[in-house]
Amino acid sequence: MPIFSYLAYPAQDAKEQLVKDLSALDFCEVTPAENEDVLILVTATPDEDTEKKIHQKLEALKSLESLGMTFGQTDE
């Protein structure tokens, strides 16, 4: 089971929209930071193909400015 965590930076004035967009994705858990304009995103997918599909969906989000991975683990 691939598990990844990210810092997700919203596009300008799009933090609330990004929370909604990320929360709507399967296998994703999003937590807004209390003191910064950044979100913590954790993905836990059943397999690598599903993880790749999540990445494609993330790349298409207009509310997302950038995404920085902070941790990644896959079962091999």
Side-chain angles (χ1 to χ4, degrees):
M1 170 182 274
I3 300 171
F4 293 91
S5 63
Y6 305 90
L7 293 179
Y9 296 89
Q12 188 170 356
D13 299 323
K15 183 177 178 182
E16 295 304 317
Q17 184 61 49
L18 184 56
V19 170
K20 291 177 187 177
D21 292 344
L22 295 175
S23 296
L25 297 174
D26 291 333
F27 309 109
C28 292
E29 182 178 325
V30 62
T31 305
E34 293 179 13
N35 60 345
E36 295 291 330
D37 197 22
V38 66
L39 308 174
I40 301 163
L41 173 66
V42 177
T43 63
T45 56
D47 54 55
E48 289 187 33
D49 288 336
T50 305
E51 185 66 32
K52 288 178 185 177
K53 290 176 184 174
I54 292 288
H55 278 266
Q56 291 171 344
K57 291 178 181 180
L58 291 172
E59 289 174 2
L61 294 177
K62 295 182 190 260
S63 58
L64 180 63
E65 177 71 27
S66 67
L67 191 65
M69 185 169 62
T70 60
F71 174 80
Q73 176 182 339
T74 60
D75 295 333
E76 304 260 349

